[in-house]
Amino acid sequence: YRLEVTDQGQGMAMHQIRAIDLGLQDAPEKYDQQGAGLGLLIVKRMVDIYRGSLTIRSTVGQGTTVEILFLL
């Protein structure tokens, strides 16, 4: 199974993508978002549990694509 989600938001820098494993969010107060910033961390943990793969492609200022792949 393959799921791909794309947005055209602010994008993420490489250090932000790497910080997902640590549950870190980069300066959330400077964005108009609400929440704890744990969404991708939770998804990553679930993908790890089911031995899938998670790929994040992002360009700052252009958006982000997250691909989740599960093999049967």
Side-chain angles (χ1 to χ4, degrees), residues 44-62:
K44 170 106 176 63
R45 293 291 197 276
M46 290 175 65
V47 168
D48 289 345
I49 288 169
Y50 291 101
R51 295 189 178 113
S53 67
L54 175 73
T55 304
I56 301 173
R57 296 182 303 277
S58 190
T59 303
V60 175
Q62 294 184 13

Side-chain angles (χ1 to χ4, degrees), residues 10-46:
Q10 65 196 18
M12 299 169 67
M14 188 55 66
H15 75 276
Q16 292 171 304
I17 294 171
R18 287 188 199 113
I20 290 169
D21 276 332
L22 303 174
L24 301 176
Q25 185 180 16
D26 187 37
E29 68 280 351
K30 68 181 179 180
Y31 304 115
D32 290 334
Q33 299 171 304
Q34 293 182 353
L38 297 175
L40 281 175
L41 175 64
I42 293 168
V43 170
K44 170 106 176 63
R45 293 291 197 276
M46 290 175 65

